[in-house]
Amino acid sequence: MKSILIKSAEEIKHMRIAGKLAAEVLNMIKKYIINNISTEELDQICHNYIIQKQKSISACLGYNGYPKSICTSVNDVVCHGIPDAKQKLKSGDIINIDISIINNGYYSDTSKMFILGKPSILGQRLCNVAQKSLYLALQIIKPGIPINKIGQTIESYVNKENFSVVKEYCGHGIGKNFHEDPQILHYINNDQNIILKPGMIFTVEPMINAGKPLVKCMKDGWTVKTKDRSLSAQYEHTILVTKNGCEILTFRQEENIKKILIN
C-alpha cells in the first residue's frame, strides 16, 4: 500500500472550501427535483452552477471517460448512474445525486438521497438506514482507532436492519487527487489495520441495498445496479480526522449531526 497523505494546515484550508462548495451544489439542486424532470436536466443545472457560479470544475466530467458532470442513481441503481434525457423522475422514486468538484486544485466528494413525492415505506426506511449508517461511522472516527472500525460499525447496524452493504465499492482518500489511499471499506474486514491519524482526509460513502448485496455493471461501463433489482441508497461525506474526532468537510445545514464531532 502507498503512504497515506497527512494534509497540512494549508491543504486543509483548501479542502474546507472545496467541501463547502460540493455541499452547496446538493443544497441548490433540491428545488429542481420534481416530477417529470430528466436526470439530464439535473446534470445541466449542476454543471452550469459549478462552472459559472462556483468557478470550479466537475471532477466527474471526463474522469476515465465518464460523460457527465454528476452521477444520478435512481431506485435500483447503486452508483455511477449516467444522467439521461430519456430518464424522467416520477413520484415515489428515490435518487442519489453524487457531486465531485475541483476547486483550486483540490477535490471534494459528497452525495445524498432525494425522494420524490410520497415515498414507499421501504424506500423511506432504506434512505433513513443508509444515512444513519454513515452518521454512526462518523461518530466513532478519531485518531488511534483502526480503520476497519468504520466498516464494522456500518455493516453491524445495516445487517441488524435487515439490509445489506455493497462490497464492490468503497470510500477513499482525497485531496489533490480524486482517489488516494486509504480505501474505506463499509463492511467488516479485519485485515485492515491502518490506524487513523489527525490530518487524514477521506470519504465515507456506504451503499445500502434493500435486498442482497450483489451488483452488476451495465453495458455502458458505468451504471451499477442491484442484481436482484432491489432498491439501493447511499450517503457520502468527505471527512477530516481531527485531534479528537472528525470534521465533516461537506456538511449541509439540514443535517441531524454536528459538523465537528468530538469522539
Side-chain angles (χ1 to χ4, degrees), residues 31-47:
K31 65 183 177 184
Y32 297 101
I33 300 175
I34 57 175
N35 282 349
N36 215 38
I37 194 167
S38 72
T39 51
E40 167 69 22
E41 289 174 279
L42 295 177
D43 179 74
Q44 279 302 309
I45 294 166
C46 290
H47 175 84

Side-chain angles (χ1 to χ4, degrees), residues 78-105:
V78 176
C79 61
H80 306 156
I82 301 175
D84 187 341
K86 294 178 182 177
Q87 184 177 44
K88 304 288 183 74
L89 298 181
K90 62 185 185 302
S91 183
D93 282 346
I94 64 172
I95 175 174
N96 177 275
I97 295 186
D98 195 339
I99 305 293
S100 304
I101 70 156
I102 312 167
N103 179 268
N104 202 26

Side-chain angles (χ1 to χ4, degrees), residues 146-206:
I147 205 168
N148 60 25
K149 274 205 167 183
I150 296 172
Q152 186 179 62
T153 300
I154 291 168
E155 190 170 40
S156 296
Y157 167 67
V158 171
N159 286 353
K160 190 178 72 174
E161 295 295 325
N162 295 315
F163 292 143
S164 63
V165 178
V166 173
K167 294 181 170 62
E168 282 83 352
Y169 300 91
C170 62
H172 51 88
I174 189 169
K176 287 185 178 178
N177 303 292
F178 200 169
H179 296 94
E180 301 175 349
D181 282 330
Q183 289 191 334
I184 307 297
L185 304 182
H186 304 118
Y187 56 92
I188 298 166
N189 185 314
N190 293 324
D191 292 335
Q192 266 203 322
N193 54 8
I194 299 161
I195 302 300
L196 295 185
K197 296 178 181 178
M200 288 182 177
I201 296 181
F202 50 79
T203 70
V204 184
E205 46 183 298

Side-chain angles (χ1 to χ4, degrees), residues 57-77:
I57 300 167
S58 164
C60 290
L61 185 60
Y63 179 76
N64 288 342
Y66 186 79
K68 300 292 180 178
S69 292
I70 66 173
C71 297
T72 51
S73 302
V74 182
N75 294 334
D76 65 336
V77 178

